[in-house]
Amino acid sequence: MEGRMFKVSVLLDNDKILKEGQYNLKDIYYTVEKTYTDNGFIRDYDLPDGSMMFYGVNGWTDFHGCGKANFMLENQDWFKRYVKKWIAYENEQCRYEDDFLEVNIIDSFQRAERIARAF
């Protein structure tokens, strides 16, 4: 994972998914992974808290793929119901390659919805 990049981590609420029993856990994970990989990202590793980590390898050109994948997931009711943590990381604007700006995607979408309702 060297060089400039965008990354995204997604943590789902497994207990809630299993308790509600509406969806198959493996199908949900497959759909999230496929959404990012279809948009040019690679699943690299899982974080200690269970978050899936995806990263792009094409610098700024990954911005479009990341945005498209995020938009596709954000518009799924099941995803919004089960996502616990959803963080975007980018270091294109950072001075050092191992520094990342973090954006809480859930907060960003909720803020945009509040602004849209205000108009």
Side-chain angles (χ1 to χ4, degrees), residues 20-41:
E20 289 183 2
Q22 242 181 327
Y23 300 96
N24 181 293
L25 189 63
K26 288 181 181 180
D27 291 344
I28 287 180
Y29 275 84
Y30 172 81
T31 301
V32 171
E33 183 170 352
K34 185 157 177 40
T35 301
Y36 281 105
T37 57
D38 284 354
N39 285 284
F41 279 69

Side-chain angles (χ1 to χ4, degrees), residues 2 7 22-23 25 27 31 34 38 41 48 51 58 89 94 99 101 109-110:
E2 293 182 20
K7 300 190 298 187
Q22 242 181 327
Y23 300 96
L25 189 63
D27 291 344
T31 301
K34 185 157 177 40
D38 284 354
F41 279 69
S51 297
N58 299 307
Y89 310 85
C94 296
D99 287 340
L101 298 173
F109 278 120
Q110 289 173 344

Side-chain angles (χ1 to χ4, degrees), residues 32-84:
V32 171
E33 183 170 352
K34 185 157 177 40
T35 301
Y36 281 105
T37 57
D38 284 354
N39 285 284
F41 279 69
I42 298 167
R43 183 168 178 189
D44 187 25
Y45 56 86
D46 291 347
L47 298 175
D49 68 357
S51 297
M52 298 177 281
M53 180 65 78
F54 302 93
Y55 70 95
V57 294
N58 299 307
W60 274 113
T61 58
D62 289 321
F63 182 75
H64 176 71
C66 185
K68 186 176 175 185
N70 292 350
F71 180 78
M72 292 169 70
L73 289 171
E74 195 269 336
N75 284 297
Q76 302 300 317
D77 289 332
W78 58 265
F79 184 78
K80 288 190 286 189
R81 191 165 59 244
Y82 298 132
V83 66
K84 285 175 73 172

